[in-house]
Amino acid sequence: MKSASQLFIDSFMENLIKKNPSEPEFHQAVREVLLSIYEYIEDNPHYIDSGILERLTEAERIIIFRVPWMNDLGKIVVNRGFRVEMNSAIGPYKGGLRFHPTVNLGILKFLAFEQVFKNSLTTLPLGGGKGGSDFDPKGKSDNEVMRFCQSFMTELYRHIGPNTDVPAGDIGVGGREIGYMFGQYKRIKNEFTGVLTGKGINWGGSVIRPEATGYGAVYFTEEMLNTRHESIKNKTVLISGSGNVAQYATQKVIQLGGKVLTLSDSNGYILDPDGIDTEKLNYVMNLKNQQRGRIKEYADTYGVQYFENKTPWQEKADIAIPCATQNEIDVNDAETLIKNGCICITEGANMPCTPEAINQFIENKILYGPGKAANAGGVAVSGLEMSQDSMRISWTREDVDKQLKSIMKEIHQTCLKYGTKVGGYINYMDGANIGGFVKVADTMIDQGAV
Ligand code: NDP
Ligand code: 2IT
């Protein structure tokens, strides 16, 4: 027989799916949160009575718009632009923009939903949102990317603002794209404000913002390992992706004395048994950020193995840090990782593990750090960038790194507070979901029927 909690969750999900059809990633993200928080809200029924769950799962506002731009051949191409303004209870909407051909409303709703909890965990006054487009920056010239970004901002500008909604980067959106969008916003509004984060250092950006997600994920990994009197030093690490998050996670692992064996992109992964050192990482950064090449070229340059159309999870290592995309670790990968002795999985990406994979990690009492907690360093430093912009000051690398470290420690503490189970196992997923939920839910109750 089903328990009361299962019946409640099933019926809530049935309604949600009816209202939001064909959005499996959004359903997945909501179900995970419900499973984590149900017991807590059962003990605190005022959350149910005040409709908090219905409100949290309905975006405050969604904007969908046409993005026409001219390619280098003089042809007009049309993409679709989105901004999901999910929740502004504790601060302006905040979250990245993703440019990738797979972008659709359901993906952005899952990301915006998770962002609400993540931003709440950072301790900073940040609401949650996410946006982007099905535009594919791959293979486009700088001029094409610029024209696309200008067209995207020509509509988006009217919906955002430094006290309303502050976008940033995500997959396919880095310093170059933020620059083009910031330039266009400033031009249209005749206003120099911190309307985007991840800006260049010369024009209002914060030091350590490019590094923050990857560094933060590794700081969080170190915190988790410390609970078992372990550390990253001398550990082997599998990293997927080779973009912003993967690059700086690799850099921090190297700094802390660990050995990164793999990096990947959507075509395959490289395995470097000697470890990716600083020189090789610099090569990757140049390859990916300037040349915009493929990770396969690493294998050709350094004479290591390349596995086409495969992910790194079949390799043996102590730690895995997925830094590419959602659902990149399935239950088979999870079983292989565990069988190979992996003790810790840290989500640099958003929702990289399927629910079945997460169950495997938790059942086997592996250290499992969910993205909401583990990759919150990026948006946390975005929050610090907003503060610096509004004060018209800039902090040093040491200042920002110290604040990042202390925020990651606090997030870890919150996970311990809400996620420690009888017997001592720390369920970081429950910890992050409950910890993120309480602050937003209490605030929504304070603010009335909003
Ligand atoms: P980038 O665009 O810089 O890099 C993304 C990397 O992941 C690339 O190597 C890319 O390969 C790979 N990738 C993307 N999509 C897929 C896919 N469908 N299958 C396989 N590989 C894929 O993005 P980020 O590093 O910024 O983002 C990586 C992850 O981290 C995302 O989940 C993002 O949401 C999350 N994140 C990012 C933050 C940030 O501050 N940037 C903050 C918190 C989370 P290819 O080049 O072949 O597409
Ligand atoms: O998923 C994320 O947290 C991000 N892409 C960063 C968001 C931000 O506003 O810095």
Side-chain angles (χ1 to χ4, degrees):
M1 216 177 79
K2 286 195 171 175
S3 65
S5 67
Q6 277 169 327
L7 288 172
F8 176 88
I9 292 169
D10 285 353
S11 125
F12 189 91
M13 287 307 303
E14 199 183 312
N15 284 329
L16 183 104
I17 292 167
K18 213 183 283 166
K19 244 179 145 173
N20 303 271
S22 311
E23 295 178 352
E25 293 86 1
F26 180 52
H27 308 157
Q28 180 182 337
V30 172
R31 189 190 301 274
E32 180 202 294
V33 168
L34 288 180
L35 286 166
S36 280
I37 67 173
Y38 185 77
E39 235 174 75
Y40 185 83
I41 57 176
E42 213 178 16
D43 294 339
N44 297 277
H46 64 286
Y47 292 125
I48 297 181
D49 300 341
S50 50
I52 288 294
L53 298 180
E54 288 78 3
R55 289 195 261 161
L56 275 174
T57 50
E58 186 72 32
E60 287 178 20
R61 185 180 303 106
I62 295 178
I63 302 124
I64 303 183
F65 50 99
R66 177 168 69 202
V67 189
W69 57 281
M70 193 174 282
N71 71 13
D72 287 345
L73 302 171
K75 181 173 175 291
I76 292 177
V77 182
V78 175
N79 285 102
R80 188 170 290 171
F82 303 85
R83 187 71 182 164
V84 178
E85 297 184 334
M86 200 72 186
N87 194 301
S88 63
I90 63 169
Y93 309 108
K94 181 83 196 88
L97 296 171
R98 177 177 290 191
F99 293 168
H100 195 270
T102 57
V103 161
N104 60 41
L105 184 57
I107 297 231
L108 295 178
K109 277 162 73 177
F110 117 64
L111 289 162
F113 179 75
E114 293 223 321
Q115 197 83 45
V116 173
F117 297 80
K118 182 194 306 190
N119 293 4
S120 161
L121 286 168
T122 64
T123 72
L124 303 174
L126 303 168
K130 200 87 187 190
S133 173
D134 58 0
F135 173 73
D136 186 358
K138 263 195 219 106
K140 304 287 190 299
S141 69
D142 280 354
N143 280 332
E144 289 178 318
V145 171
M146 180 178 76
R147 288 193 294 271
F148 172 81
C149 288
Q150 290 179 338
S151 179
F152 185 82
M153 188 51 85
T154 300
E155 173 57 34
L156 186 68
Y157 89 94
R158 66 184 93 247
H159 309 288
I160 62 176
N163 298 309
T164 308
D165 184 353
V166 183
D170 194 78
I171 292 176
V173 178
R176 174 182 63 171
E177 292 75 17
I178 294 291
Y180 294 149
M181 288 190 277
F182 183 79
Q184 185 71 352
Y185 181 89
K186 183 167 62 62
R187 196 172 165 207
I188 298 172
K189 293 280 283 191
N190 192 27
E191 212 176 80
F192 193 112
T193 60
V195 67
L196 297 169
T197 60
K199 300 186 292 302
I201 293 302
N202 294 333
W203 36 281
S206 171
V207 288
I208 308 273
R209 176 62 190 89
E211 292 90 336
T213 310
Y215 279 17
V218 177
Y219 293 150
F220 195 85
T221 306
E222 192 77 332
E223 289 293 323
M224 291 199 291
L225 290 168
N226 286 344
T227 65
R228 297 195 179 171
H229 313 290
E230 299 266 11
S231 72
I232 286 173
K233 201 168 165 51
N234 298 326
K235 297 274 189 308
T236 48
V237 185
L238 306 176
I239 293 184
S240 64
S242 46
N244 172 269
V245 182
Q247 291 170 16
Y248 288 103
T250 302
Q251 187 169 79
K252 189 48 77 178
V253 170
I254 297 171
Q255 286 171 10
L256 296 180
K259 192 167 159 182
V260 177
L261 303 179
T262 62
L263 285 172
S264 72
D265 59 26
S266 52
N267 295 112
Y269 78 93
I270 59 102
L271 171 67
D272 189 337
D274 294 335
I276 296 162
D277 61 17
T278 300
E279 187 213 306
K280 293 171 184 170
L281 177 60
N282 287 340
Y283 167 85
V284 172
M285 287 180 166
N286 179 269
L287 174 73
K288 285 291 168 181
N289 309 345
Q290 265 78 48
Q291 312 303 324
R292 301 188 188 272
R294 309 307 300 158
I295 201 67
K296 180 180 186 304
E297 295 167 50
Y298 181 109
D300 302 338
T301 303
Y302 293 108
V304 301
Q305 278 182 291
Y306 172 70
F307 298 86
E308 182 97 26
N309 291 326
K310 293 242 161 40
T311 53
W313 318 123
Q314 66 199 45
E315 300 300 335
K316 188 172 160 52
D318 303 309
I319 298 168
I321 314 185
C323 297
T325 194
Q326 62 275 357
N327 293 327
E328 56 169 311
I329 295 186
D330 67 15
V331 68
N332 296 324
D333 299 323
E335 282 165 1
T336 308
L337 285 166
I338 296 168
K339 191 169 63 84
N340 283 334
C342 183
I343 57 168
C344 176
I345 285 87
T346 306
E347 294 188 338
N350 286 308
M351 208 167 79
C353 300
T354 65
E356 297 77 20
I358 297 172
N359 283 344
Q360 280 296 317
F361 296 136
I362 291 176
E363 274 171 23
N364 286 279
K365 304 231 173 351
I366 305 285
L367 293 169
Y368 161 69
K372 284 183 195 90
N375 73 37
V379 75
V381 173
S382 279
L384 302 178
E385 181 171 329
M386 287 163 70
S387 303
Q388 294 175 75
D389 288 347
S390 45
M391 290 191 275
R392 305 230 189 283
I393 57 163
S394 51
W395 291 315
T396 64
R397 277 187 83 83
E398 290 69 34
D399 288 334
V400 178
D401 196 34
K402 207 166 130 203
Q403 294 196 65
L404 170 62
K405 247 186 225 157
S406 117
I407 289 172
M408 297 316 295
K409 248 184 205 306
E410 270 199 61
I411 297 174
H412 185 263
Q413 279 304 319
T414 305
C415 292
L416 297 193
K417 178 175 170 190
Y418 291 106
T420 306
K421 303 291 172 185
V422 183
Y425 176 67
I426 305 156
N427 183 324
Y428 286 91
M429 179 184 71
D430 285 358
N433 284 331
I434 301 169
F437 169 82
V438 170
K439 181 171 162 190
V440 177
D442 287 350
T443 303
M444 289 171 79
I445 290 172
D446 289 345
Q447 293 176 359
V450 292

